[in-house]
Amino acid sequence: MAERTFGQIPGYPEGTTFDSRAELSEAGVHRPLMAGISGNARDGADSIVLSGGYEDDKDLGDEIVYTGHGGRDPRTGVQVSDQALRGGNLALAKSSLEGLPVRVIRGSRHASPYSPESGYRYDGLYTVDDYWHDVGRSGFLIWRFRLLKVPTVPSAAERVGEGRADYSAAPRRETTVLRVVRDTRQAREIKALYDYRCQVCGTRLEGPAGPYAEAAHIRPLGAPHDGPDTPDNTLCLCPNHHALFDHGGLVIEEDLTMTGAEGRLTVHPRHRISNEHLRYRREHYRAPEEEPRPAARTTT
DNA sequence: GGGCCCGCAGGG
DNA sequence: CCCTGCGGGCCC
């Protein structure tokens, strides 16, 4: 078994097309012949294929919301039970935690303006920006992974000796920056209100240029969550608790007690926090009930 | 080795 | 078009 390779495969630049899954596998661009996700729980996911069939997928080009696997009838492809954070799904979550690049391949059967006319096409590297669970069209629990394109910069080797005509001939999509700028005026005001102390642990980080804290959104900004950039959707957190919150390891209950941290969330009298947004976060990011958390890996 | 999976070809 | 049988590679 060849070792798993993350990032671009030498000899197969972005835009390379393949006739079949067998060719993709042979090239090492996406090794499994049928599965959509290549990877494991330990190392993360190195590639995925969008080939249609998953009704909850969203493809906006530079942003993809990819559906995890599992819970489908193998014959019909119909979702008949809940998905779990296992196998390839866990691999993609691992890639998110580690910030690993995922090769994305689109197939012609995937209904999207970004799909190739025929066969499969390697479309570059993406990062797994976020993952959460949702109720899919089928009514069953699905895991969802937001992938964002890593902007492609031509390497020095590619630039050297490259004629202008060649450059203009290369098909390049315009890259849309989808990230919302997070530190708005209201975010700064919330941080000032708490004097840069974490609402979870009270930590105040002080550097020579001043204090540092992060504004965390409770209901995430951007589709499909569409949380607002408003004070009632913003928390002032230290980097550790921000990361823990984003990855579902810190849950704020309705009474402001916390799962994953001691005590109760500190809330300033002049800071109203939306219960609705807190509920949204719990519903989509907390580990599902029947989902046993994977055993933590210890480094020895 | 078992079970899973965003194939694929072939036939109706 | 839809359905069926037969799959290879890989994770666990």
Side-chain angles (χ1 to χ4, degrees):
Chain A
M1 180 175 73
E3 198 175 321
R4 186 180 313 287
T5 305
F6 288 87
Q8 188 164 299
I9 305 298
Y12 300 97
E14 185 175 336
T16 303
T17 55
F18 302 83
D19 286 339
S20 66
R21 288 289 297 260
E23 274 190 17
L24 269 170
S25 183
E26 185 77 15
V29 173
H30 185 80
R31 293 187 304 175
L33 284 172
M34 299 178 74
I37 305 167
S38 170
N40 61 36
R42 193 194 62 183
D43 302 325
D46 57 319
S47 58
I48 61 165
V49 173
L50 288 101
S51 194
Y54 277 68
E55 58 200 11
D56 297 298
D57 283 356
K58 298 264 182 293
D59 187 3
L60 304 173
D62 294 337
E63 178 183 5
I64 295 165
V65 180
Y66 190 77
T67 310
H69 64 199
R72 306 210 314 168
D73 182 293
R75 259 193 262 269
T76 62
V78 176
Q79 199 74 32
V80 293
S81 62
D82 289 346
Q83 295 184 348
L85 195 55
R86 277 197 255 101
N89 302 348
L90 193 51
L92 279 169
K94 178 73 176 174
S95 287
S96 181
L97 290 165
E98 302 288 337
L100 297 169
V102 179
R103 290 183 299 277
V104 167
I105 297 98
R106 288 187 176 86
S108 60
R109 283 166 26 189
H110 170 58
S112 157
Y114 305 100
S115 300
E117 298 260 324
S118 65
Y120 298 87
R121 187 185 60 223
Y122 167 57
D123 278 345
L125 301 174
Y126 288 66
T127 54
V128 185
D129 173 69
D130 193 13
Y131 60 96
W132 67 96
H133 52 84
D134 213 335
V135 176
R137 289 193 196 179
S138 63
F140 292 100
L141 183 149
I142 57 165
W143 281 91
R144 310 187 80 182
F145 301 88
R146 183 203 312 285
L147 294 110
L148 298 179
K149 184 126 202 287
V150 177
T152 38
V153 180
S155 70
E158 285 171 323
R159 285 196 302 272
V160 168
E162 186 178 41
R164 187 175 183 80
D166 287 338
Y167 195 88
S168 59
R172 285 169 203 278
R173 284 196 303 277
E174 188 177 342
T175 299
T176 307
V177 177
L178 291 153
R179 273 190 175 285
V180 182
V181 175
R182 310 239 162 175
D183 232 9
T184 55
R185 167 187 287 273
Q186 71 83 17
R188 290 195 299 274
E189 284 173 358
I190 288 294
K191 290 198 271 188
L193 185 64
Y194 287 91
D195 192 28
Y196 295 83
R197 287 188 189 282
C198 176
Q199 287 179 254
V200 173
C201 66
T203 296
R204 185 175 191 273
L205 299 178
E206 178 95 43
Y212 177 81
E214 297 183 357
H217 285 101
I218 301 166
R219 179 172 182 149
L221 308 182
H225 311 296
D226 297 324
D229 186 28
T230 52
D232 71 350
N233 191 37
T234 305
L235 299 175
C236 174
L237 300 179
C238 68
N240 276 2
H241 282 121
H242 189 182
L244 195 63
F245 186 61
D246 278 355
H247 288 284
L250 170 68
V251 179
I252 300 167
E253 308 294 348
E254 194 162 1
D255 63 358
L256 302 182
T257 59
M258 298 179 284
T259 303
E262 293 293 317
R264 193 177 285 254
L265 187 78
T266 300
V267 180
H268 191 280
R270 285 192 281 123
H271 185 199
R272 193 188 77 81
I273 293 174
S274 163
N275 282 326
E276 188 195 335
H277 297 329
L278 285 173
R279 190 181 331 116
Y280 184 94
R281 171 65 72 165
R282 287 193 298 270
E283 283 175 3
H284 292 273
Y285 286 81
R286 186 204 288 273
E289 282 295 328
E290 54 286 327
E291 186 68 57
R293 290 171 62 88
R297 293 180 55 78
T298 53
T299 52
T300 51

